[in-house]
Amino acid sequence: SQAGRIFLVPVASVISFRADQKYVRMVYEQENQLSESLIDESLKTLEQEFSADFARIHRNSLVRMDRIEIFERANGGQYHVTLQGSDHALPVSRRHLSALKQRLQH
């Protein structure tokens, strides 16, 4: 909600959820542009609810599987994903790496 307004975002347009202090920042596509909103929901709850379409890549990030455009290993061994429509890479933690690799292979 923004300034007391509540608006509904279809989950199909959401590309990622990222923890941001005590809120979660939801990044979604609206009219071919990325928008962001803060939501009052835990990543754990969102992960359980949307596990079919989203993958945990880090303790603070959930991403939509079908929006992963680039999955790469950077210098120093850290893996990153870049989502369609986004120009910045999100880190993949070692803890979530093997599960993500498995899901990407199916």
Side-chain angles (χ1 to χ4, degrees), residues 28-92:
Y28 59 99
E29 202 169 52
Q30 189 175 37
E31 296 166 8
N32 295 322
Q33 289 190 334
L34 293 185
S35 298
E36 294 185 356
S37 290
L38 292 180
I39 58 174
D40 192 7
E41 191 70 80
S42 77
L43 270 186
K44 186 175 176 128
T45 302
L46 292 165
E47 181 179 20
Q48 289 167 344
E49 194 170 339
F50 302 121
S51 63
D53 298 317
F54 287 81
R56 178 73 75 130
I57 62 164
H58 196 277
R59 67 181 163 75
N60 66 2
S61 304
L62 278 174
V63 298
R64 177 176 283 284
M65 288 296 299
D66 63 9
R67 294 298 294 259
I68 295 176
E69 190 169 48
I70 301 169
F71 173 64
E72 63 185 351
R73 187 176 185 173
N75 297 344
Q78 170 77 56
Y79 281 85
H80 292 89
V81 297
T82 304
L83 304 176
Q84 291 168 5
S86 172
D87 56 0
H88 62 275
L90 298 173
V92 177

